Amino acid sequence: MLDFKNYNHDLMVTALQGMLGDHLVHGKDFWIGHPITDGEQSGDPFILAWACKTVPQPSDEAVHAYFKANENTLRALRVRSFRDEALSNSDGRADTPSDAPASFKAKAAEWAEYRAALRDIPDQPGFPSSIEWPELPV
């Protein structure tokens, strides 16, 4: 599962795009890195490389300050993005033809519950810092 609690690579990407525009593409216009110690992130993310010719590179400090000032909004954007991807990946799984066997309809009902739980994530009491992710139907 993705890490939504720490200030990580994905949140710095979201902060940069919020700060300078979502037309900037990670992996094309800029690259983000972060230090690793013993297989774990051990410090704040940083701009590893900047290739965008139309937007000047901001300082890491400016991006970190933007993140801190807008943390709740940026975390919510990141969680919603992940949630929306999960919804997209489950499109059609809750649909059943009228003549489908009962076992197929039962599985579709599980997918419908999963999708409803995904849509309800922003209504959870701890959103966006503490999230109870629904289990993927198997």
Side-chain angles (χ1 to χ4, degrees):
M1 184 58 63
L2 293 179
D3 176 9
F4 293 100
K5 293 186 186 206
N6 294 318
Y7 177 45
N8 59 24
H9 167 278
D10 293 325
L11 285 167
M12 188 170 185
V13 169
T14 303
L16 261 170
Q17 290 171 331
M19 185 177 175
L20 301 174
D22 61 4
H23 65 281
L24 292 174
V25 177
H26 178 257
K28 176 181 167 242
D29 296 315
F30 63 92
W31 289 261
I32 301 297
H34 54 77
I36 301 284
T37 303
D38 296 327
E40 298 289 327
Q41 181 175 338
S42 58
D44 284 343
F46 56 89
I47 299 171
L48 184 62
W50 193 264
C52 183
K53 305 286 188 226
T54 59
V55 178
Q57 177 179 340
S59 69
D60 288 339
E61 293 76 20
V63 181
H64 298 331
Y66 179 85
F67 173 76
K68 284 184 179 38
N70 299 283
E71 183 172 352
N72 216 39
T73 299
L74 294 169
R75 286 184 183 282
L77 283 170
R78 184 70 192 125
V79 170
R80 281 189 173 98
S81 173
F82 186 77
R83 185 269 322 254
D84 292 350
E85 185 72 22
L87 280 167
S88 178
N89 288 336
S90 64
D91 279 351
R93 294 186 181 258
D95 300 334
T96 57
S98 59
D99 62 344
S103 61
F104 189 86
K105 288 180 181 179
K107 183 54 71 179
E110 289 178 29
W111 281 102
E113 286 179 34
Y114 169 74
R115 290 174 55 79
L118 286 172
R119 286 190 297 276
D120 291 343
I121 283 174
D123 298 328
Q124 292 182 6
F127 181 83
S129 298
S130 176
I131 300 143
E132 184 74 31
W133 289 94
E135 294 235 1
L136 190 68
V138 287

